[in-house]
């Protein structure tokens, strides 16, 4: 049960950080790949943030799946 709680906390924190990085401005945001509005767009740095988030969340899901097999 503690592993599941820890995994949920990690996934939550990763999600909050990813949202902050994608919606904020940072030095390495890169060129705009897709213009969404006059002052909004998807930058190349946003793609890296989303890919990193996806890898981390899938890793947490894999840990949870592996834990479920051992427990039950």
């Amino acid at each position: 049960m503690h592993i599941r709680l820890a995994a949920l906390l990690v996934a939550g924190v990763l999600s909050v950080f990813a949202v902050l990085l994608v919606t904020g401005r940072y030095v390495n945001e890169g060129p705009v790949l897709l213009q969404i509005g006059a002052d909004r767009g998807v930058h190349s740095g946003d793609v890296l943030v989303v890919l990193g988030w996806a890898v981390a969340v899938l890793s947490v899901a894999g840990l949870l799946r592996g834990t479920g097999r051992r427990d039950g």
Side-chain angles (χ1 to χ4, degrees):
M1 186 63 137
H2 292 96
I3 292 175
R4 289 183 181 161
L5 178 60
L8 287 173
L9 287 172
V10 168
V13 170
L14 285 171
S15 296
V16 169
F17 283 156
V19 168
L20 288 173
L21 285 170
V22 169
T23 59
R25 292 186 173 269
Y26 49 96
V27 177
N28 294 326
E29 60 187 16
V32 176
L33 300 176
L34 176 66
Q35 190 73 31
I36 296 174
D39 61 344
R40 299 275 187 244
V42 177
H43 295 83
S44 60
D46 297 336
V47 174
L48 293 175
V49 169
V50 170
L51 288 174
W53 172 83
V55 167
V57 169
L58 289 173
S59 298
V60 169
L63 287 171
L64 288 175
R65 214 170 57 185
T67 300
R69 286 188 205 144
R70 282 183 289 184
D71 291 345

